[in-house]
Amino acid sequence: YHILTDATGDVPYSEAMGALEGVLEPKYDTQEFIYKDMLNELDEAAASLTPDMPTFGSADVFYNGDIVKWKKFAYTLMLRLAMRLSNKDEETARTYALKAITGGVMTEIEDIAYLKYNAQSTNPRAPFNEYQATQDPDNAQGRKLGSTLINQFKATHDPRIYVLSVVWKPTENGYVPDTTMAAQKGMVPGSILGYPPDFPTYSEYSPIWWNRETSPLIILGPAEAQLLVAEAVLRGWYDGVTEKAAYD
């Protein structure tokens, strides 16, 4: 519901699961109602988690039955939701942000929640193996990145460009990836009809780092948690750490 309401605003929520009871036309709840209810649900869930309660053990694909880590997950998700309210309802955002931070959010890499894959499974994160095969504009790989994104990355020396963007360069043995910042070039949106002669020289979304059968799908992690803690400090909501310490 967090993802759904972020994407579309008001959605069926309180009656959304009522089909078995005959509710075939559930009402639309406001995003404000949904957010406040999700925060309340997380508050109740986190408080209910105790180390001595039964678990799903090895069937728990995130934490192998580790209740302490699930508690951190709940508070980290609460902090994320609270911060997304910060410019709309500062009082509610501050209340839940502090509750999350003092309750205990993710701090270590071992706290990360991610789905693991193996070479025998079908990984939905790796569907683009054909990208490296050709520079034929008629191929699906013909999607290029826009100049708005690439120019911003280059102007700010954003290190994410090395992971997100690639230019495929021809060699005697086929195309090889070039992820250097100097090689990246974005296509001006709406500037052409058809494909320009230098089409292969433009940047496209890079499958190099994540296009592997075993690449994990990250759900929530400590990097995001501590960035949000740093924001709470900057807003003057929390003084238990400096913003630099949280950010670092």
Side-chain angles (χ1 to χ4, degrees):
Y1 284 108
H2 154 41
I3 295 170
L4 188 61
T5 190
D6 280 0
T8 61
D10 299 352
V11 295
Y13 177 77
S14 58
E15 296 181 353
M17 306 302 289
L20 294 178
E21 287 75 42
V23 181
L24 302 181
E25 296 181 353
K27 68 178 181 179
Y28 278 66
D29 292 303
T30 66
Q31 188 174 58
E32 178 182 7
F33 173 84
I34 295 170
Y35 251 75
K36 288 181 177 179
D37 192 69
M38 288 191 298
L39 288 166
N40 182 63
E41 290 280 348
L42 285 167
D43 190 14
E44 292 180 356
S48 73
L49 293 172
T50 59
D52 58 345
M53 66 193 313
T55 75
F56 290 102
S58 60
D60 173 1
V61 296
F62 283 167
Y63 294 132
N64 199 36
D66 191 324
I67 298 295
V68 173
K69 290 182 179 179
W70 272 113
K71 201 174 186 78
K72 288 185 179 182
F73 181 98
Y75 281 125
T76 300
L77 186 56
M78 180 188 294
L79 180 58
R80 177 200 276 178
L81 295 180
M83 278 306 183
R84 294 194 182 183
L85 278 179
S86 56
N87 292 331
K88 193 70 174 178
D89 184 344
E90 184 173 357
E91 182 179 353
T92 299
R94 181 179 183 276
T95 297
Y96 279 100
L98 283 174
K99 186 171 292 194
I101 295 171
T102 56
V105 297
M106 296 176 181
T107 57
E108 309 296 332
I109 193 64
E110 291 78 13
D111 297 332
I112 196 168
Y114 64 99
L115 293 177
K116 306 172 186 178
Y117 298 93
N118 57 51
Q120 285 73 46
S121 64
T122 301
N123 187 344
R125 290 287 301 276
F128 299 122
N129 288 317
E130 79 277 3
Y131 268 40
Q132 302 180 38
T134 176
Q135 280 291 314
D136 178 5
D138 293 328
N139 191 339
Q141 68 77 228
R143 292 167 287 203
K144 300 296 183 180
L145 293 176
S147 58
T148 305
L149 177 68
I150 296 299
N151 291 349
Q152 174 70 10
F153 275 155
K154 297 181 79 169
T156 57
H157 301 281
D158 194 317
R160 289 175 294 182
I161 194 172
Y162 302 113
V163 178
L164 297 177
S165 181
V166 65
V167 172
W168 294 98
K169 294 194 170 180
T171 68
E172 293 181 355
N173 299 317
Y175 286 92
V176 296
D178 188 340
T179 58
T180 62
M181 187 171 293
Q184 307 311 309
K185 181 172 66 172
M187 188 168 284
V188 177
S191 62
I192 60 166
L193 292 175
Y195 297 94
D198 60 346
F199 181 77
T201 66
Y202 288 90
S203 301
E204 59 188 65
Y205 188 56
S206 174
I208 298 170
W209 304 108
W210 56 265
N211 192 23
R212 304 184 180 97
E213 287 86 351
T214 55
S215 295
L217 176 61
I218 297 173
I219 307 299
L220 197 61
E224 179 180 355
Q226 295 307 309
L227 184 63
L228 294 174
V229 171
E231 183 179 346
V233 176
L234 284 170
R235 288 179 176 272
W237 294 354
Y238 179 66
D239 59 6
V241 68
T242 66
E243 66 268 24
K244 184 179 187 303
Y247 184 85
D248 288 345

